Amino acid sequence: MDINSLEIKKILIIDLAFIGDVILATPVTRALKTKWPEAEITMLTVPFTQPVAQMNPYVDNTLIYDKRGIHRGLSGMWQMAKELKQYKFDLAVCMNFAVRGAVVAWMARIPYRLGYDAQHASFFLTWTASHIRKGIKHETENHLEVLEPFGISTEDTSLKLEPPAGAISSMEAKYKQYGIEKGKYYVVCPMGSYERKNIPISMAAQLIREIKSTYPVYLIGGTKEKIELISYAQAGQLSEAHVFAGTLDLQELAVFIKNAAGMVTVDTGPMHIAQAVNCPTIAVFGPTDPTVWGPRNENSCYIYTREQCSPCWGKGECKDNVCIKKIKAKDLYEKLQQYSGH
């Protein structure tokens, strides 16, 4: 079937993964918008990542698949399909290896369905891309492989998020509330999705003391990380007021990172947000591969000691976390000064 002969007016992108995955799908949305500039693009996400999808400049609308709530289980899939059917999408692009998106698109009777061939998804799809990655490359380029059956791509693999006016306005109020001056603070995100990604407290404390000699430092993370982040702050002689753990929603966080002088972070969602809002970023890598997940903006870099056992994705036998501990706080500070221009 020749895709150039298709009349595509409404596209549904199904991305039911994490913050980073939704952001790293930017080139896919860009390529689809370039191919069908008049088409309306909607992204279907889980509830937590919807605010991120809403900041994608190539996405016109967002919908929620609450797979742990009202759309849970097989009956929930039927309900989701019923909801999607009313939008009369022409094309569904399933971004994840999990079969769920392909099944729901099929149940919703979307006529054209593109996705990966993993987990027997081929039965539910019109076109399939191989789930076997072609070499080790950045995840933005990996995501673009889903479009190979269409023969379309983009050379622009940069990430982009545009925070809405409401988030900008609410952050202005919080800047006044906390006495923060835009452009004159640094952000540190020391904790990732699992412990082996984390910057050790002793290293973070030294880094914080170095950084705050230039500008104030703020620690960011989720609500569940608040107690540990307070420990980080105390070790670096910061007050609890410098800990933003669940203090900002995702769109406010994007504004906060965008307006920072720079950020030091581990491999986690806020690192990708920083890239998408063009904040100078120094990323700390140990158990994961920066070739796949690392920052690529000209104002950013990663520090990685390339241990023989890395990447282990947190599943290695190492108990000392040597891949992170070998990194020096002084090196992080010097790189932050270099890339932030301060």
Side-chain angles (χ1 to χ4, degrees):
M1 188 182 300
D2 181 7
I3 66 162
N4 294 313
S5 66
L6 304 180
E7 187 175 2
I8 303 297
K9 295 181 179 180
K10 301 185 75 173
I11 300 171
L12 176 68
I13 298 175
I14 301 176
D15 198 334
L16 307 178
F18 303 107
I19 291 174
D21 296 283
V22 172
I23 297 172
L24 291 165
T26 304
V28 172
T29 61
R30 182 183 289 120
L32 289 168
K33 181 62 79 173
T34 301
K35 176 62 180 177
W36 290 289
E38 301 302 319
E40 180 181 271
I41 296 180
T42 298
M43 184 175 280
L44 179 68
T45 71
V46 295
F48 182 64
T49 58
Q50 185 192 33
V52 177
Q54 289 173 335
M55 292 187 284
N56 184 322
Y58 308 105
V59 171
D60 301 295
N61 305 296
T62 59
L63 294 171
I64 289 178
Y65 189 161
D66 189 2
K67 60 183 181 180
R68 294 183 180 178
I70 61 172
H71 301 125
R72 185 177 182 179
L74 183 58
S75 61
M77 291 176 73
W78 279 110
Q79 176 60 34
M80 185 75 256
K82 183 179 178 181
E83 293 173 25
L84 292 177
K85 195 179 296 184
Q86 65 180 322
Y87 291 97
K88 301 185 184 303
F89 292 109
D90 303 302
L91 169 66
V93 178
C94 307
M95 296 293 302
N96 314 122
F97 285 172
V99 72
R100 184 190 301 266
V103 174
V104 169
W106 176 77
M107 292 167 66
R109 297 183 181 179
I110 298 173
Y112 308 118
R113 302 172 304 279
L114 169 66
Y116 293 105
D117 58 7
Q119 299 184 10
H120 307 290
S122 300
F123 178 83
F124 305 99
L125 296 168
T126 314
W127 295 274
T128 56
S130 173
H131 71 283
I132 300 173
R133 295 305 193 194
K134 299 175 181 178
I136 298 175
K137 56 186 179 298
H138 200 268
E139 194 66 4
T140 51
E141 297 171 40
N142 285 332
H143 280 320
L144 279 168
E145 289 182 1
V146 75
L147 299 178
E148 284 191 353
F150 282 179
I152 64 175
S153 188
T154 176
E155 293 184 1
D156 183 359
T157 58
S158 64
L159 307 179
K160 192 172 185 180
L161 293 178
E162 295 179 352
I168 295 171
S169 177
S170 62
M171 270 312 304
E172 289 290 345
K174 289 183 178 180
Y175 283 134
K176 292 180 181 179
Q177 177 185 350
Y178 292 101
I180 301 172
E181 187 175 355
K182 288 190 294 185
K184 293 188 177 181
Y185 60 88
Y186 285 112
V187 176
V188 175
C189 182
M191 300 180 68
S193 54
Y194 49 85
E195 187 176 357
R196 290 192 184 183
K197 286 185 178 181
N198 296 353
I199 298 175
I201 286 186
S202 58
M203 183 196 304
Q206 183 181 345
L207 174 65
I208 290 167
R209 288 194 291 270
E210 294 268 17
I211 295 175
K212 70 180 185 179
S213 64
T214 305
Y215 282 149
V217 183
Y218 293 87
L219 305 183
I220 62 170
T223 304
K224 294 180 181 179
E225 298 164 347
K226 184 172 183 177
I227 293 175
E228 290 182 79
L229 286 173
I230 289 174
S231 297
Y232 275 92
Q234 291 173 341
Q237 300 176 344
L238 291 178
S239 70
E240 191 173 328
H242 286 249
V243 174
F244 284 3
T247 311
L248 311 175
D249 64 35
L250 286 172
Q251 294 184 349
E252 290 174 331
L253 181 62
V255 178
F256 187 63
I257 293 174
K258 181 177 182 178
N259 290 331
M263 181 166 83
V264 176
T265 178
V266 296
D267 174 19
T268 190
M271 181 194 71
H272 300 299
I273 292 176
Q275 291 297 282
V277 297
N278 202 34
C279 173
T281 305
I282 310 302
V284 177
F285 273 78
T288 55
D289 190 347
T291 302
V292 179
W293 299 101
R296 298 194 299 169
N297 291 356
E298 291 184 358
N299 62 356
S300 303
C301 74
Y302 59 79
I303 295 184
Y304 180 53
T305 61
R306 300 185 184 278
E307 300 302 310
Q308 188 174 358
C309 55
S310 179
C312 71
W313 311 105
K315 299 177 182 179
E317 297 180 359
C318 171
K319 295 181 180 179
D320 295 327
N321 214 26
V322 64
C323 58
I324 296 290
K325 289 183 178 178
K326 276 190 175 181
I327 296 171
K328 305 297 182 183
K330 183 179 180 181
D331 293 337
L332 291 174
Y333 176 66
E334 289 177 353
K335 288 293 184 182
L336 182 62
Q337 295 293 94
Q338 175 187 343
Y339 281 86
S340 66
H342 294 284

